[in-house]
Amino acid sequence: MSSVRPSRWSSSRAHPRPRRLGPGDRLFLTVVVGIPLLALLVFVWLPALASIGLSFTGWDGLTLSDIRWVGLDNYHQILTNYPPFWPAVRHNVVWLLFTALLPTPFGVFLAYQLDRRIRFSRVYQTAIFTPMVLSLAVVGFIWEIIYNPDTGLLDGALGHHIDWLGDPHLNLWAVLVASGWRHTGYIMILYLAGLKGVDPALKEAAALDGANGRQTFMRVVLPALKPVNIIVLVVTVMESLRAFDIVYVLGGGTGSKPGMELLSLLITDNIIGESSHIGYGSALAVILLLVSLAAIGAFLVQTFRKEDQ
């Protein structure tokens, strides 16, 4: 019995040689991958590392020769002898709790209702998500008109003259309502997109077991949205800790207005304010970075630990 020797053509078809990248391919990869990496390095990592280094120095931002090493003195002064710092920390915590307990659950509730395909759901989605299309600065200008004590819509509807943005007992809550108005639409869209990807068989199985709509969502659907839950948590923490635009607009462009102190505004005041304290502002930025990483890291560690168990 004679054996048939495979031809060179069949061997090359079974084991094709890897295609070498030509000059055009290398140029394309360099542009697509290299430019974003370079931008990330220049605009994110280098400023972050520079801020960490400058936080241990005293510098007025004029000439590099004026930089002097002060060690941990900036941190010591912030923690012990900087009156706006602890109110700003407290307000950031209040902002985080408010955003996590009111706008975020309300956005989940709206997503759950709209996922049930009620009438005019597209109209509701558009109306609720519209504030998210606007920048926080524009949202601030809109709510500044609403809160205006002389011609504002809110005081006109209530029939009372209330200085919403001037009263230190009210101004933070007024800003939180404005921020929550925008944040709700963002959370709604995130969860609505996640709900579209949930396997319908899970809902059918829960219904066969006798679970109602609320039980199905809380015990079956919501745990299945774990990736979305992590994204929402990270977004909520970051939005709360780096809040700046809307507070800057509604607060009149100052970071030390009584009742509206936030870490992000204190950083801005110290770095680009009338008297620049680059080292001081950098130390505040590092503190804000550490707080953000601690909050997000603690949740992620706890979440993945439960998953491993």
Side-chain angles (χ1 to χ4, degrees), residues 19-304:
R19 178 175 174 268
R20 293 183 178 181
L21 296 177
D25 297 326
R26 293 192 182 96
L27 178 62
F28 176 77
L29 289 176
T30 301
V31 172
V32 172
V33 179
I35 292 180
L37 286 177
L38 181 63
L40 182 66
L41 178 66
V42 172
F43 295 108
V44 177
W45 287 107
L46 287 181
L49 295 175
S51 296
I52 295 174
L54 289 172
S55 68
F56 300 102
T57 66
W59 185 35
D60 57 8
L62 296 179
T63 60
L64 295 178
S65 60
D66 292 336
I67 299 178
R68 66 184 189 281
W69 181 264
V70 297
L72 297 175
D73 186 60
N74 287 330
Y75 295 95
H76 177 73
Q77 290 293 326
I78 289 172
L79 296 176
T80 60
N81 194 27
Y82 189 43
F85 175 72
W86 289 112
V89 172
R90 183 172 64 253
H91 294 159
N92 273 111
V93 173
V94 171
W95 195 295
L96 175 60
L97 294 177
F98 177 89
T99 306
L101 296 178
L102 288 179
T104 298
F106 189 53
V108 176
F109 172 76
L110 292 176
Y112 170 71
Q113 295 296 329
L114 294 175
D115 187 58
R116 300 169 64 183
R117 298 180 181 178
I118 60 178
R119 294 183 62 185
F120 308 113
S121 61
R122 295 296 178 87
V123 177
Y124 298 144
Q125 290 180 35
T126 303
I128 298 170
F129 187 69
T130 297
M132 192 59 212
V133 180
L134 307 175
S135 68
L136 278 170
V138 174
V139 172
F141 286 121
I142 293 174
W143 281 89
E144 187 176 26
I145 297 173
I146 295 175
Y147 287 137
N148 190 290
D150 298 322
T151 60
L153 176 64
L154 188 57
D155 279 5
L158 296 176
H160 297 286
H161 178 85
I162 301 175
D163 191 1
W164 297 97
L165 300 177
D167 189 341
H169 301 290
L170 296 176
N171 51 17
L172 180 63
W173 301 104
V175 177
L176 285 173
V177 170
S179 175
W181 177 61
R182 184 177 184 271
H183 186 75
T184 298
Y186 190 25
I187 299 301
M188 180 202 70
I189 289 297
L190 288 176
Y191 269 102
L192 197 57
L195 289 172
K196 300 299 182 184
V198 174
D199 189 356
L202 294 175
K203 300 179 182 179
E204 296 174 0
L208 292 175
D209 290 338
N212 56 31
R214 184 183 62 83
Q215 292 172 336
T216 300
F217 180 79
M218 296 300 297
R219 299 181 181 180
V220 178
V221 177
L222 195 60
L225 295 175
K226 183 177 179 180
V228 179
N229 295 334
I230 294 177
I231 293 174
V232 167
L233 173 90
V234 173
V235 167
T236 300
V237 172
M238 296 306 298
E239 288 287 334
S240 302
L241 294 178
R242 70 177 183 86
F244 173 79
D245 313 56
I246 191 169
V247 189
Y248 191 83
V249 171
L250 293 177
T254 176
S256 57
K257 186 174 182 178
M260 298 180 68
E261 302 93 340
L262 289 175
L263 290 176
S264 58
L265 292 177
L266 298 184
I267 294 170
T268 304
D269 277 358
N270 280 277
I271 291 181
I272 62 174
E274 295 181 359
S275 57
S276 296
H277 301 286
I278 305 298
Y280 219 70
S282 299
L284 286 166
V286 172
I287 292 174
L288 182 58
L289 174 64
L290 293 177
V291 172
S292 304
L293 293 177
I296 296 174
F299 175 81
L300 293 179
V301 169
Q302 189 68 20
T303 300
F304 290 118

